Amino acid sequence: MDTYYASLTVWFEGPFWVGVLQREDGGRLTACRHVFGAEPKEPEVYQWLLREWQHLTFSPGVPAGDRNHDRPKRRRREAQTPPAGTGTKAQQALQLQREQCKTQRRERRRLRDAAEEERKFLLRQQKKKEKRRGH
């Protein structure tokens, strides 16, 4: 049986209130970040969550740790060792999402610039032809 977990953490970051929604499904953790702006009340956060849940863009999944809490001594010992990566799993998932968006943005920019260069080239060629005709 697959288990599904979701948690929303809201905190003050700079001039805005930010929320990070984490969900775990099938051993993969994904995250989504949303900037609220002014301090949201609990009913406002709940209404936002109900309204926007289907439209949220989650990061690609990263392997989630197990949720077995029956060995507290082992958990405490593992917590003392430095983590393998930087940040929490949610931060790693958000970083992965930012990197993917960055590569998509670069690709769109490259295509747009190539189309603009082609348009300018054709315009120059057309002007050359018009000058040769004597108009």
Side-chain angles (χ1 to χ4, degrees):
M1 179 174 93
D2 285 338
T3 56
Y4 185 83
Y5 298 99
S7 69
L8 174 67
T9 307
V10 179
W11 71 89
F12 185 72
E13 184 178 284
F16 304 111
W17 285 84
V18 176
V20 171
L21 185 63
Q22 300 176 39
R23 68 178 181 186
E24 183 180 331
D25 187 20
R28 306 291 288 173
L29 183 116
T30 59
C32 176
R33 184 173 186 265
H34 177 74
V35 178
F36 286 105
E39 180 177 6
K41 305 279 191 273
E42 281 189 37
E44 293 172 354
V45 172
Y46 184 66
Q47 287 297 321
W48 170 82
L49 190 59
L50 291 176
R51 185 178 61 244
E52 298 295 326
W53 175 261
Q54 298 296 323
H55 308 290
L56 293 175
T57 305
F58 282 89
S59 67
V62 295
D66 58 345
R67 290 190 159 266
N68 190 2
H69 297 290
D70 59 345
R71 297 183 176 172
K73 286 184 179 179
R74 178 175 290 195
R75 299 286 171 219
R76 203 174 312 128
R77 196 178 323 119
E78 289 173 353
Q80 291 175 355
T81 61
T86 58
T88 63
K89 296 275 187 191
Q91 288 171 338
Q92 291 173 0
L94 289 172
Q95 181 63 31
L96 185 59
Q97 182 184 24
R98 278 193 294 269
E99 290 171 2
Q100 284 185 343
C101 288
K102 189 161 96 172
T103 57
Q104 290 171 355
R105 199 170 42 246
R106 283 180 180 169
E107 181 66 20
R108 283 193 310 263
R109 187 181 321 126
R110 187 183 64 77
L111 292 173
R112 186 186 64 223
D113 290 348
E116 181 65 19
E117 287 295 321
E118 180 70 20
R119 187 188 67 80
K120 285 181 180 180
F121 175 75
L122 292 175
L123 187 62
R124 283 195 308 268
Q125 295 300 320
Q126 184 181 5
K127 285 183 179 181
K128 279 184 187 179
K129 286 181 181 179
E130 287 176 2
K131 284 183 180 179
R132 298 274 301 166
R133 289 183 184 163
H135 291 222

